[in-house]
Amino acid sequence: MSKVTEVSHPLILHKLAYIRNKETGAKDFRQLVEEVSMLMAYEVTRDLPMEEVDVQTPICTTKCKMLAGKKMAIVPILRAGLGMVDGMLSLIPAAKVGHIGLYRDEETLQPVEYFCKLPQDIAEREVIVVDPMLATGGSSADAITLLKKRGAKNIRLVCLIAAPEGIKCVTDKHPDVDVYVASIDEKLNENGYIVPGLGDAGDRLFGTK
Ligand code: PRP
Ligand code: URA
């Protein structure tokens, strides 16, 4: 069964308050999303496997722990997921980056796929899917299905803000996927937007609409 982690660290909550504020412009919004993503990267990598290695310090040889060679991939869901990539890469610089393009049809709220380019060895990688918003859950659930069709086996999902409906959708369809969110909000409104949320993440990141 999926583990759902709400990462309510004071720094994350503080930055999230600025991100939610409608007066925050695209430049600050982008910077803050990057910073929160870096803090989320710390949490989502907490249980990575480690191995013991011998290290020669200037004084003696000692046993140290290092990551056990697990290869990682970060997969943003376009467009808004792009805003989370640099923050993740700042803590996981050796990760490869795949891209999945999905947009939500404004009438039906169903995700429509338009792009997919993944590292060729995605099946051997620990995959972190990133998207700031988990609303109905359709986009994230479809992105994960696509990754599984390409062979990915170990997948985690990181979002900034989630509606309970989105969490249920993803965890019902993908009980093997753990979900990390900065905030679980109250609900979806009649237009499928998260309440209180932050509005349209893609438009706020890229200054569109
Ligand atoms: C937003 C968001 C998610 C999706 C969430 O993307 O970034 O991908 O909606 O909604 P869901 O959980 O109901 O599927 P959008 O479709 O607006 O595309 P964009 O990132 O290009 O703006
Ligand atoms: N997509 C967004 O960008 N925001 C929402 O609140 C819901 C879907």
Side-chain angles (χ1 to χ4, degrees):
M1 215 170 83
S2 305
K3 184 178 66 159
V4 178
T5 306
E6 193 174 8
V7 188
S8 47
H9 187 286
L11 288 176
I12 292 181
L13 296 182
H14 180 80
K15 291 172 193 293
L16 207 52
Y18 281 109
I19 289 173
R20 289 183 190 275
N21 190 330
K22 68 175 183 167
E23 304 301 336
T24 300
K27 176 172 168 286
D28 289 339
F29 188 90
R30 231 174 266 141
Q31 177 69 36
L32 287 157
V33 167
E34 182 176 332
E35 288 171 8
V36 173
S37 302
M38 185 179 73
L39 295 166
M40 297 291 286
Y42 182 80
E43 192 60 35
V44 72
T45 52
R46 187 179 280 284
D47 64 350
L48 285 182
M50 310 222 63
E51 64 187 1
E52 209 165 62
V53 295
D54 289 328
V55 171
Q56 181 74 51
T57 78
I59 311 298
C60 66
T61 302
T62 185
K63 301 237 177 265
C64 292
K65 291 205 165 149
M66 295 189 79
L67 292 173
K70 196 92 187 154
K71 294 194 287 183
M72 314 277 299
I74 297 163
V75 179
I77 302 177
L78 307 182
R79 290 175 301 164
L82 285 175
M84 298 179 68
V85 173
D86 285 352
M88 286 272 157
L89 283 177
S90 61
L91 287 198
I92 319 167
K96 289 199 172 170
V97 181
H99 295 86
I100 294 180
L102 292 174
Y103 70 86
R104 209 167 66 141
D105 183 286
E106 284 185 7
E107 309 258 290
T108 64
L109 300 183
Q110 291 307 304
V112 181
E113 184 193 329
Y114 61 90
F115 188 77
C116 181
K117 183 85 182 166
L118 301 172
Q120 139 276 322
D121 59 351
I122 194 76
E124 281 92 62
R125 290 183 177 267
E126 188 76 34
V127 179
I128 304 177
V129 177
V130 294
D131 191 328
M133 309 305 279
L134 183 62
T136 64
S139 303
S140 289
D142 277 14
I144 293 166
T145 302
L146 196 60
L147 281 159
K148 287 181 175 174
K149 279 190 191 149
R150 301 288 188 95
K153 291 178 278 297
N154 300 303
I155 304 173
R156 301 158 194 228
L157 172 67
V158 180
C159 302
L160 301 191
I161 298 183
E165 295 89 331
I167 292 179
K168 180 168 183 343
C169 170
V170 169
T171 55
D172 282 355
K173 286 191 180 147
H174 301 290
D176 55 317
V177 172
D178 288 340
V179 180
Y180 296 78
V181 298
S183 173
I184 301 174
D185 277 12
E186 197 186 320
K187 60 177 182 186
L188 293 178
N189 70 12
E190 58 287 0
N191 299 317
Y193 277 83
I194 300 175
V195 180
L198 53 72
D200 187 304
D203 285 344
R204 293 196 61 190
L205 264 174
F206 297 109
T208 46
K209 218 171 219 171

